[in-house]
Amino acid sequence: MIEAVGLTKRYGDKTAVYNLSFRVRPGAVTGFLGPNGSGKSTTMRMILGLDNPTSGAVTIGGYPYRKLPNAPRQVGALLDAKAVHGGRSARNHLLSLAQLSGIPARRVDEVLGVVGLQDVARKRSKGFSLGMGQRLGIAAALLGDPQVLLFDEPVNGLDPEGILWVRNLMKALAAEGRTVFVSSHLMSEMALTADHLIVIGRGQLLADMSVTDFISANSADFARVRTPDTEPQLREKLSSALTEAGGHVLPEQDGALRVTGLPLPRISDLAHESGVRLWELSPHQASLEEAYMRMTQGAVDYRSTIDQKAGLQQPLPPGVQPPVPVPGQGQPGWYAPPPPQQGGQPFGMPPAGPYGGAPAAGYGAPGTAAGTAPGGPAGAANPYAQPGAPAQAPAPVQPAGQAPQAPAAGQAPQSPPPALVKAAPPAPATSPAADAAPASAPADPTQPEDAR
Ligand SMILES: Nc1ncnc2c1ncn2[C@@H]1O[C@H](COP(=O)(O)OP(=O)(O)OP(=O)(O)O)[C@@H](O)[C@H]1O
């Protein structure tokens, strides 16, 4: 269990993380989502004791990372795949980590097999592609067979096969009861991988809920209605009729109408009564990606000047912060659908979506019996499940070697985000971890900031 309470990190006048409280539980993949610059890496670095919080605290199994007994054996992390000595072979890189921690060499060969790098194990890592580097970083994270795993954007640079492999690996690790915390800015990927989501924007918590709850809170059924392109007046006529009947009508980019709040048969009847012919009347469900974009769009730091969505937003007066978006409610000027009507579900849509089913059965890294994803082939062994724990720990994975981008204009967060933040945990009186927990999680709020 990872637990953050009131976690805040400031770099000068830039607040990277503000008052974050959440728990990451074992036995599940928890996706950590947020736009670029929202504070995901900063949070992960604080979890791993690589940055000190300005205030608040974060613990693993009840201990701050730096006080965790045998930490590298309990926690594995991939923060930056490039943090490798390029002159060393993949095997030697892992061997040096293992030797520092008394892990036997055969474990190195095991994890090389798990990540599919056995054939290039003796090649210098400086010649590795981004995807190979990611696999090497994942191997390092698995080296100590840890119960808690953190992965910062693990699918960066991976091809589709690699992405599927990472997805199944995460699920398999969680299915073994491990705590798996994975950051991403891709909702579509997290929807397929994660059981639980923690979403942040501008360093603040926007949502802390199961993927299922996120979907039901954020996905909206809608109808697409198209009238003949040749007769724009029909579109206007239908739009008025639908609005008068209580529907909510938004224009789509291709000239169709997006209608919520009215069932399909009613839309059809209204069109008929208005004498409007239809070229299309179809049920749809807003994608999870769209819901996520809607939730975080007010919390995006970097946006292209030619971003179509930017063009739909009202410019803010200088110095004014965009409002923290409320999941499910959208924001003015955004083309995503409004939330479902009260008691909604106008179109009897099946619950399935891109996230609705188990992903295709996974496959292992080349040459290994792959970890089994839940719902995947039964009985397949997880080769990284090392029986007999090593005596000592591997060296921790090194943090990102690069300085992060210079911050944008200093932006102190406003009030804590409302709504949809479920189960924000109160500060614990005692440690939650049953296995390895001190009496309390010592906060470390007054530490000076790390020299970076
Ligand atoms: N050492 C630092 N000094 C100053 N500002 C920093 C530092 N590290 C991070 N920041 C700023 O804090 C904010 C959060 O950065 P962080 O890297 O944690 O975001 P992120 O969500 O991981 O982004 P990305 O998805 O792009 O990796 C950014 O505005 C970043 O510029």
Side-chain angles (χ1 to χ4, degrees), residues 167 188 287 311 330 365 410:
R167 190 184 301 157
S188 48
S287 74

Side-chain angles (χ1 to χ4, degrees), residues 334-358:
W334 178 240
Y335 64 72
Q341 301 290 311
Q342 286 288 331
Q345 195 69 6
F347 317 122
M349 296 278 291
Y355 39 77

Side-chain angles (χ1 to χ4, degrees), residues 11 14 16 35-42 45 302 404-405 407 452:
Y11 296 106
K14 169 79 192 178
N36 288 134
S38 56
K40 302 182 297 296
S41 301
T42 302
R45 286 199 305 269
Y302 311 102
Q405 287 180 356
R452 296 180 56 81

Side-chain angles (χ1 to χ4, degrees), residues 410-436:
Q411 289 151 344
Q414 308 296 303
S415 56
L420 282 193
V421 177
K422 277 196 168 178
T430 57
S431 162
D435 47 357

Side-chain angles (χ1 to χ4, degrees), residues 35-36 38 200-202 206 295-301 303 322-323 325 331:
N36 288 134
S38 56
I200 62 171
R202 291 222 167 99
L206 295 181
M295 176 186 285
T296 57
Q297 60 116 354
V300 171
D301 273 340
R303 198 193 295 278
Q331 291 199 8

Side-chain angles (χ1 to χ4, degrees), residues 280-331:
E280 179 186 344
L281 175 57
S282 56
H284 290 268
Q285 189 169 44
S287 74
L288 207 53
E289 189 76 34
E290 197 174 23
Y292 165 65
M293 298 281 282
R294 191 152 41 105
M295 176 186 285
T296 57
Q297 60 116 354
V300 171
D301 273 340
Y302 311 102
R303 198 193 295 278
S304 162
T305 51
I306 56 168
D307 187 333
Q308 54 172 336
K309 295 181 286 297
L312 291 170
Q313 291 184 305
Q314 296 289 328
L316 291 172
V320 173
Q321 294 288 311
V324 174
V326 180
Q329 292 185 13
Q331 291 199 8

